[in-house]
Amino acid sequence: MSKTRLALKQVVRRYVPLPLLRQALTWRSRWFARRHHPTPAREVFSEIYAKNLWGGRESVSGPGSAMAATRNVRAALARLVRQYGVRSMLDAPCGDFNWMQTVDLAGIAYVGGDIVTALVEDVSRRFGGVDRRFVQVDLTGDRLPSVDLIFCRDCFIHLPFKSIHEALANFLRSDAKYILLTTFTNHPINFDTTSGGMRALDLCAWPFNFPEPIELIPEEHVGPPSEPRKHMGLWSMESLRPLLRGR
């Protein structure tokens, strides 16, 4: 994001009343949906993968999937699956499995899912095994594997609101007990985007309004202190069920 756009957003957040800003964002999202016919997500993310458009040197899934960027989440995930009795998990999008392969998931039935066909074929060949399989899946509508935990990192930040709501409704239809999602703090206003775009999202703010998570795992912060802080938030599916049923 350019410095000019960032400065403009900071001014808007400071001086525009929150209810008015939320209404304006709702109108903008509806206008955008009617006016634009976005490229299907599978095509968008397949091109990003094929051309390494996120510019990751270590991982085609982008700089956020490098080992240094996942230090905290790797340690926390190994602890969480045991602390909460997780015996199976869906990791979607799994990307190129660059960092997840180092996490101690002994005894956990792991399913990696991604929307990109070529990526799923590659990781299946390289990393598939008895307790580790990979499937092509669109989180917004495909039937999800039956698991205890859905781990969904750095996904919603690249999706429009409509797709996020569809994915959340799909999570609700699954048998999952917990979901672990990327969320940001110090970020009271969420903006919409198109598939493949990128912005910070606070799942506890409008238009998601999640309750406070059971746990909040801080990730590595590389920007100035004033920028939103990235975390992985853990929620029980039961705590979200009343909220998601109304969508």
Side-chain angles (χ1 to χ4, degrees), residues 131-148:
D131 285 329
R132 183 190 294 159
R133 64 188 179 96
F134 297 89
V135 297
Q136 183 172 351
V137 65
D138 181 343
L139 292 177
T140 65
D142 290 346
R143 184 172 181 176
L144 303 179
S146 179
V147 295
D148 293 331

Side-chain angles (χ1 to χ4, degrees), residues 63-162:
S65 292
M67 298 300 289
T70 57
R71 183 179 298 110
N72 285 352
V73 71
R74 282 186 280 127
L77 182 57
R79 170 184 62 81
L80 284 175
V81 293
R82 288 162 177 80
Q83 180 177 342
Y84 291 92
V86 171
R87 305 300 299 170
S88 57
M89 66 176 285
L90 169 65
D91 170 21
C94 62
D96 64 0
F97 204 61
N98 178 63
W99 64 270
M100 185 65 79
Q101 62 181 299
T102 70
V103 179
D104 180 10
L105 296 176
I108 308 296
Y110 171 93
V111 182
D114 207 284
I115 199 171
V116 180
T117 305
L119 181 56
V120 171
E121 291 174 348
D122 180 57
V123 293
S124 293
R125 184 180 63 255
R126 295 171 57 201
F127 302 110
V130 175
D131 285 329
R132 183 190 294 159
R133 64 188 179 96
F134 297 89
V135 297
Q136 183 172 351
V137 65
D138 181 343
L139 292 177
T140 65
D142 290 346
R143 184 172 181 176
L144 303 179
S146 179
V147 295
D148 293 331
L149 169 69
I150 296 175
F151 179 86
C152 186
R153 180 176 180 265
D154 286 354
C155 178
F156 290 172
I157 61 174
H158 300 299
L159 295 181
F161 288 160
K162 180 177 182 294

